[in-house]
Amino acid sequence: PTMTEVSRVGWLDTQKSNFISETITKETKFRNAAVEKDLAKELAELELAAAAAPPQPSPQAAPVYKPPDTSRLTPRERDSRLANELGKNMWRKCNPGYVTGTMNTQSRTKSDFTYDPAEVEPVNRANFRRRDEFTNYVEAAAKYNNITKKSMRGGL
């Protein structure tokens, strides 16, 4: 039986896909064997290191948290401190990199934005409310509207 052009293309495509799938299967097999060999080597090294290392002392219990004394604070300061602690604790739960010792939790806005008269630049009013054709037109239209409103009400 002779192959038509269509069947020949299908046959070549099948041959290509079989070759590619066979190549991928072989590469996967070789890769898995190499990974298993590397893992076995690492595991043997770790077991050797664990056998040679002295036993580590058990970690001591974490110190018990004692809240700061707030008896001398005003109610407003107490609320502010409570809100600050809530914010720190919420961030600590969702962001493991949040370390309260290194985070600046106090606002610096008051110290950063203080009024300094030396920093204030004088205002240049060279182009402030400059009169031109448009402003004359707007003023004339406003006067006309005011006159027509008064005449509609009956008093001029």
Side-chain angles (χ1 to χ4, degrees):
T2 60
M3 283 196 232
T4 63
E5 290 180 24
V6 175
S7 61
R8 182 175 291 134
V9 170
W11 181 79
L12 288 174
D13 283 348
T14 305
Q15 291 301 314
K16 279 185 191 176
S17 65
N18 286 342
F19 175 74
I20 291 172
S21 65
E22 184 180 344
T23 305
I24 290 173
T25 305
K26 286 180 182 178
E27 287 177 354
T28 305
K29 190 190 310 180
F30 289 133
R31 186 193 63 217
N32 289 344
V35 167
E36 283 181 25
K37 184 179 175 184
D38 289 345
L39 286 177
K41 183 179 175 183
E42 275 187 50
L43 183 61
E45 289 174 1
L46 287 174
E47 288 173 351
L48 262 172
Q56 296 180 354
S58 63
Q60 296 178 353
V64 178
Y65 173 74
K66 292 182 181 178
D69 183 29
T70 58
S71 60
R72 296 184 186 151
L73 299 176
T74 64
R76 183 175 180 180
E77 289 172 335
R78 214 174 294 140
D79 290 344
S80 175
R81 183 168 291 183
L82 175 66
N84 201 7
E85 287 294 319
L86 283 174
K88 283 194 280 188
N89 289 329
M90 284 184 351
W91 270 108
R92 194 179 302 137
K93 285 182 180 19
C94 66
N95 182 3
Y98 185 84
V99 181
T100 55
T102 60
M103 298 295 169
N104 184 11
T105 56
Q106 297 298 321
S107 172
R108 293 181 33 184
T109 304
K110 186 174 181 181
S111 62
D112 287 348
F113 297 103
T114 55
Y115 176 73
D116 186 6
E119 291 180 355
V120 178
E121 297 177 7
V123 179
N124 181 6
R125 296 186 186 253
N127 299 313
F128 186 67
R129 291 190 179 176
R130 180 174 274 186
R131 312 257 320 152
D132 60 1
E133 293 175 10
F134 182 74
T135 55
N136 290 335
Y137 168 77
V138 170
E139 286 180 8
K143 285 180 185 176
Y144 177 76
N145 286 338
N146 284 338
I147 290 172
T148 55
K149 283 181 186 174
K150 285 183 183 176
S151 65
M152 297 280 253
R153 282 185 266 168
L156 213 178

